Amino acid sequence: MNYFHSKETFELESGEVLPEITIAYQTYGTLNETGSNVVWICHALTANAEVAEWWPGMIGDQCILNPEQYFIVCANILGSCYGTTGPQSIDPRTGQQYLDRFPFVTIRDMVTAHQLLFRFLRLRKIHLLVGGSMGGYQALEWTVTEPSLIERLFLLATSARETAWGIAIHTAQRLAIEADHSWKNGSADAGLQGLRAARAIAMLTYRNYQTYQLTQEDPDPNKVDHFKASSYILHQGNKLASRFNALSYWILTKAMDSHNLMRSRNVSMKQVLQQIHQETLVIAINHDLLCPLPEMELLAQHLPAVTFHQIDSLYGHDGFLTEHRAIAALLSNWL
């Protein structure tokens, strides 16, 4: 893992200031002489900079995004718990962890931080900017903010604004965290049990009815307890709680709620999307409950240079991570 430390004060959209920031990032491959082979991948909610680990089949030797051909960058987002400045970081003004005093951040703040890293790495262009789910929020925002830097855009299971549906889901997850008796207790582990419940809510939207019926239904009609579906949800909650932080989860879901390309731009969604002149590949996942088809169709309808595909996946929203063969084939043809 690599780390970029900026000692410059970092002003957030809210007007609050971080006295310094650190960004954890990973690179794969070598930058060519002309700087024309950069692929920048924006990650989703609970992922990290190690994109080759969480997106197998897409990054690596013999994969469509091969480090022998591309210089691949993935950076951890502001507010996360995987090395970039977030609630568990030390506030240099106090010498203590920020914890629940960490300020509100937006998707634009995350992009602004990564723009600093882009300049630190002395890159000139991004040949391909990639983002799925929350990563797509960042990719869209970056493209609107600095269109001259982005050559091509690849979006999966995402949207141009956080929907009322998405905000309601995130609010329910935060309520689960806030209901934990340890929330706001001043420790780095605050809200851990609530995080398990928040992840359980999330898993209902990452998959769908068909997924659970096919993979978690119990064959025994006489069963009255200890169902497969229940065990699966408990397992997923425990798994996330063992690797993530509730304070970061709370902050990052608030950041997702802030996503709206129209915000502060005084234009319609159609107008802001029509400003994105880059060739864009958009892939929607059928049966995606979290970023449903109408949101993806909105992108396809208004982006001027778009190629649009749908993938039929048992895994719903998580299909953007699991359907790497179908995604790689579409990306290969497009590239």
Side-chain angles (χ1 to χ4, degrees):
M1 187 65 68
N2 306 295
Y3 297 91
F4 162 59
H5 303 279
S6 172
K7 296 296 185 179
E8 301 280 333
T9 56
F10 186 85
E11 185 173 351
L12 301 165
E13 268 200 281
S14 66
E16 293 196 63
V17 172
L18 294 170
E20 60 185 44
I21 63 168
T22 296
I23 301 175
Y25 69 97
Q26 188 60 276
T27 66
Y28 307 82
T30 303
L31 186 67
N32 64 18
E33 291 183 2
T34 60
S36 61
N37 67 332
V38 176
V39 174
W40 193 296
I41 300 173
C42 301
H43 72 70
L45 176 60
T46 62
N48 55 36
E50 300 280 4
V51 61
E53 295 182 3
W54 55 259
W55 214 9
M58 291 295 294
I59 314 293
D61 295 339
Q62 311 303 317
C63 295
I64 181 61
L65 299 178
N66 191 331
E68 291 185 3
Q69 180 180 0
Y70 297 110
F71 180 62
I72 302 166
V73 184
C74 185
N76 189 222
I77 54 178
L78 195 66
S80 185
C81 56
Y82 286 126
T84 294
T85 299
Q88 291 179 295
S89 302
I90 300 296
D91 182 347
R93 296 166 297 194
T94 65
Q96 305 293 322
Q97 289 178 302
Y98 286 100
L99 301 178
D100 59 10
R101 295 178 300 278
F102 192 77
F104 172 68
V105 300
T106 66
I107 297 296
R108 289 182 192 174
D109 291 326
M110 296 172 185
V111 170
T112 301
H114 287 173
Q115 288 167 340
L116 293 178
L117 175 61
F118 175 90
R119 287 160 179 77
F120 168 76
L121 295 173
R122 298 184 177 180
L123 304 177
R124 299 177 216 159
K125 296 274 187 180
I126 296 177
H127 172 64
L128 179 65
L129 182 60
V130 182
S133 191
M134 185 186 185
Y137 297 0
Q138 300 160 61
L140 280 162
E141 187 63 46
W142 197 344
T143 305
V144 172
T145 304
E146 293 189 309
S148 63
L149 297 184
I150 315 301
E151 293 183 335
R152 308 182 88 176
L153 186 60
F154 177 29
L155 305 169
L156 307 97
T158 193
S159 63
R161 44 93 196 269
E162 188 56 89
T163 62
W165 169 241
I167 292 168
I169 292 165
H170 301 153
T171 302
Q173 292 175 293
R174 290 192 297 270
L175 284 171
I177 292 172
E178 292 163 7
D180 187 327
H181 68 88
S182 69
W183 184 242
K184 300 285 189 178
N185 72 358
S187 77
D189 291 330
L192 194 63
Q193 292 293 340
L195 179 60
R196 291 185 172 94
R199 183 63 164 186
I201 296 168
M203 290 307 301
L204 301 179
T205 66
Y206 294 162
R207 305 296 171 88
N208 55 46
Y209 169 83
Q210 291 89 345
T211 309
Y212 285 95
Q213 288 302 108
L214 287 171
T215 64
Q216 302 301 326
E217 188 172 22
D218 283 282
D220 182 3
N222 297 313
K223 203 168 192 180
V224 295
D225 201 357
H226 306 297
F227 294 99
K228 285 178 62 177
S230 180
S231 297
Y232 174 75
I233 290 295
L234 291 170
H235 168 71
Q236 292 296 331
N238 289 333
K239 190 164 75 167
L240 184 71
S242 70
R243 70 172 179 86
F244 211 72
N245 177 263
L247 294 160
S248 282
Y249 199 92
W250 195 96
I251 285 285
L252 296 182
T253 58
K254 290 287 284 187
M256 282 195 288
D257 292 352
S258 78
H259 172 57
N260 191 325
L261 292 181
M262 294 186 293
R263 183 164 55 80
S264 304
R265 294 195 167 107
N266 299 315
V267 294
S268 68
M269 186 62 79
K270 176 181 177 180
Q271 288 171 318
V272 71
L273 289 174
Q274 287 180 339
Q275 295 173 15
I276 299 175
H277 60 79
Q278 287 80 359
E279 289 187 40
T280 305
L281 175 62
V282 173
I283 296 181
I285 311 296
N286 285 354
H287 314 301
D288 183 346
L289 297 180
L290 196 56
C291 289
L293 193 55
E295 295 301 313
M296 302 298 291
E297 290 174 335
L298 179 71
L299 296 173
Q301 182 180 357
H302 297 304
L303 290 170
V306 68
T307 300
F308 179 65
H309 292 285
Q310 297 180 43
I311 291 177
D312 190 18
S313 175
L314 167 67
Y315 295 99
H317 185 71
D318 273 354
F320 89 94
L321 294 171
T322 61
E323 303 291 352
H324 56 84
R325 290 185 181 85
I327 292 168
L330 294 172
L331 179 59
S332 178
N333 291 336
W334 181 72
L335 289 174

